[in-house]
């Protein structure tokens, strides 16, 4: 039985905005086990980044209200002080983002940036030894000539190389969990494939658990063990990748999968999309939030918020079609 590293219970993220309170994450539950890669997929604006940032409390401090539990080794990170959180970020749980340029310091060499992060968590390590660890890390993420690149500034590197540096920075302190928010979206497809391969390699090598946000189902199929599908601030389906792709249950997941372009599809056939738009998360929502776009919607869907049903072991779907009252 694998160890549960992170247990998220009823997590809510609310942002204060000039138009009122925006309820971006609406009570999500999930866990991450040792050594697994979990994917989060969903349309733009469904709350993926807000949810993942909340795990290490990286949302804007003064306008974000977090509620629920983020249990890491039994402790609720939402109750930690800022100083305690600094001991968790990078050391226990690390994060990489879509655009490495905004996360790297342009005025510091890449080697010194990684060294600084390492020294913060391992202050007693002699500098020469820490430097060797950083060089080893740069080598591991596929940076050629690490000794030379140690002194390079971020702007002198290509986008793919910068993302590799970000990964080295995130992994230097051997965190237990790596949170990756669309790490390959800004890269072209060949580089994207290389970075995904690198994440897979690192996962195998170090056993780090990965939580990977993407809006790309093929990325999920390629790298993840389990997947969480988000819609309007909620997880509406979760299952192993095999199960989700072979037996999707929620109408939204079914439509997402049907929208993937296929090579064997006739060229004149239009690409499928999901008509309509997700709801505005400023409003409180009555009934199922996917109902206005759902072809299978029933009267009850407008009135009742669907609970999560366990359709099979480890396969959850939040759709009222699984409700005993609705099964025909
Ligand atoms: N700091 C913030 N202040 C106010 N609203 C925010 C803030 N961050 C996100 N939001 C809003 O919260 C909702 C969820 O945003 P989030 O960034 O989590 O979406 P996402 O699923 O990551 O989308 P994308 O795929 O485009 O990255 C959106 O309506 C967004 O406008
Ligand atoms: Mg996002």
């Amino acid at each position: 039985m694998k160890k549960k590293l992170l247990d998220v219970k009823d997590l809510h993220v609310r942002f204060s905005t000039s138009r009122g309170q925006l309820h971006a994450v609406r009570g999500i539950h999930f866990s991450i086990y040792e050594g697994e890669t979990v994917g989060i997929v969903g349309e733009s604006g469904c709350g993926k980044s807000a949810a993942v940032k909340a795990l290490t409390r990286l949302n804007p401090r003064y306008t974000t209200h977090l509620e629920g539990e983020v249990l890491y080794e039994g402790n609720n990170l939402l109750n930690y002080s800022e100083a305690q959180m600094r001991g968790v970020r990078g050391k226990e749980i690390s994060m990489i983002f879509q655009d490495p340029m905004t996360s790297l310091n342009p005025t510091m060499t890449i080697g010194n940036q990684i060294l600084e992060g390492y020294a913060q968590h391992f202050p007693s390590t002699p500098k020469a030894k820490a430097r060797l660890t950083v060089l080893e890390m740069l080598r591991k993420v596929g940076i050629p000539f690490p000794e030379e690149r140690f002194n390079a500034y971020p702007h002198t590197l290509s986008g793919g190389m910068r993302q590799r540096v970000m990964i080295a920075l995130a992994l230097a302190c051997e965190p237990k969990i790596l949170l990756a928010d669309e790490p390959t979206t800004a890269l072209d497809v060949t580089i994207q494939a290389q970075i995904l391969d690198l994440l897979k390699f690192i996962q195998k090598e170090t056993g780090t658990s990965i939580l990977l946000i993407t809006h790309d189902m093929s990325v999920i199929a390629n790298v993840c063990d389990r997947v969480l599908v988000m819609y309007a601030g909620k997880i509406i389906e979760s299952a192993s990748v095999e199960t989700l792709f072979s037996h999707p249950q929620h109408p939204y997941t079914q439509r997402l999968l049907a929208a993937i372009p296929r090579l064997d599809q006739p060229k004149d056939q239009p690409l499928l999309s999901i008509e309509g738009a997700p709801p505005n998360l400023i409003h409180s929502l009555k009934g199922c939030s996917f109902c206005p776009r759902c072809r299978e919607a029933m009267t009850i869907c407008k009135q009742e918020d669907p609970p999560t049903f366990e359709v099979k072991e480890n396969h959850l779907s939040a759709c009222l079609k699984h409700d005993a009252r609705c099964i025909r």
Side-chain angles (χ1 to χ4, degrees):
M1 185 69 185
K2 284 197 168 167
K3 191 176 149 198
K4 199 186 268 188
L5 283 182
L6 194 79
D7 203 7
V8 176
K9 294 184 177 169
D10 201 22
L11 176 68
H12 291 259
V13 181
R14 293 181 177 86
F15 297 113
S16 305
T17 76
S18 54
R19 292 176 297 139
Q21 203 175 56
L22 189 146
H23 197 171
V25 177
R26 300 176 170 232
I28 60 171
H29 300 255
F30 68 93
S31 308
I32 300 178
Y33 290 84
E34 217 168 38
E36 70 169 351
T37 301
V38 180
I40 301 190
V41 71
E43 275 167 294
S44 184
C46 69
K48 304 182 294 294
S49 297
V52 169
K53 280 188 188 146
L55 305 181
T56 48
R57 306 224 318 259
L58 284 176
N59 321 80
R61 204 192 303 182
Y62 299 106
T63 52
T64 309
H65 179 73
L66 301 176
E67 198 188 304
E69 287 177 289
V70 175
L71 298 170
Y72 177 71
E73 295 186 332
N75 301 312
N76 186 2
L77 299 183
L78 301 191
N79 294 335
Y80 272 31
S81 67
E82 237 338 276
Q84 282 175 306
M85 273 319 286
R86 279 196 290 276
V88 173
R89 292 186 200 118
K91 171 91 172 58
E92 307 289 334
I93 307 177
S94 244
M95 191 145 184
I96 51 176
F97 300 94
Q98 178 174 339
D99 179 7
M101 213 41 199
T102 54
S103 319
L104 291 170
N105 181 344
T107 65
M108 229 175 149
T109 67
I110 57 165
N112 280 337
Q113 288 188 56
I114 305 175
L115 203 56
E116 191 183 53
Y118 186 83
Q120 191 191 335
H121 295 296
F122 300 103
S124 54
T125 308
K127 201 161 176 202
K129 186 160 181 271
R131 193 185 148 90
L132 285 179
T133 309
V134 172
L135 288 173
E136 178 54 32
M137 209 59 230
L138 288 174
R139 196 168 296 119
K140 207 178 259 178
V141 298
I143 305 242
F145 313 111
E147 283 85 1
E148 283 167 38
R149 291 293 164 84
F150 189 97
N151 295 318
Y153 286 89
H155 72 272
T156 64
L157 303 177
S158 67
M161 281 296 153
R162 282 201 287 263
Q163 196 54 288
R164 286 175 193 266
V165 171
M166 270 305 295
I167 295 174
L169 186 67
L171 295 175
C173 299
E174 297 177 5
K176 302 239 175 42
I177 304 174
L178 176 68
L179 309 175
D181 190 348
E182 308 248 18
T184 59
T185 307
L187 305 171
D188 67 57
V189 279
T190 34
I191 310 291
Q192 195 171 29
Q194 289 173 10
I195 297 290
L196 291 174
D197 280 347
L198 173 64
L199 286 178
K200 272 203 264 188
F201 165 76
I202 282 182
Q203 152 82 247
K204 230 164 128 194
E205 180 107 324
T206 62
T208 306
S209 303
I210 301 178
L211 181 62
L212 177 72
I213 298 187
T214 175
H215 53 257
D216 188 339
M217 275 292 191
S218 63
V219 170
I220 296 276
N222 254 318
V223 276
C224 299
D225 303 306
R226 233 158 24 90
V227 53
L228 315 172
V229 183
M230 276 190 83
Y231 186 80
K234 291 190 174 172
I235 294 174
I236 53 95
E237 184 159 6
S238 66
S240 70
V241 167
E242 293 78 32
T243 305
L244 193 100
F245 277 76
S246 59
H247 295 96
Q249 291 296 317
H250 197 286
Y252 176 64
T253 315
Q254 291 171 347
R255 300 278 292 282
L256 269 187
L257 291 171
I260 301 176
R262 296 165 54 118
L263 281 175
D264 57 3
Q265 188 173 310
K267 283 208 180 100
D268 51 0
Q269 196 172 307
L271 287 175
L272 291 172
S273 63
I274 308 176
E275 313 86 61
N280 186 335
L281 297 176
I282 287 248
H283 305 305
S284 63
L285 305 171
K286 185 165 183 252
C288 170
S289 51
F290 187 58
C291 171
R293 304 171 80 188
C294 183
R295 291 175 186 159
E296 299 172 47
M298 304 168 281
T299 316
I300 188 175
C301 304
K302 287 195 186 118
Q303 293 142 2
E304 290 186 26
D305 190 6
T308 303
F309 297 91
E310 186 164 18
V311 284
K312 276 250 170 73
E313 201 187 351
N314 299 323
H315 187 175
L316 306 177
S317 167
C319 176
L320 283 161
K321 74 179 179 189
H322 310 298
D323 192 301
R325 291 169 296 167
C326 304
I327 296 172
R328 272 167 266 178

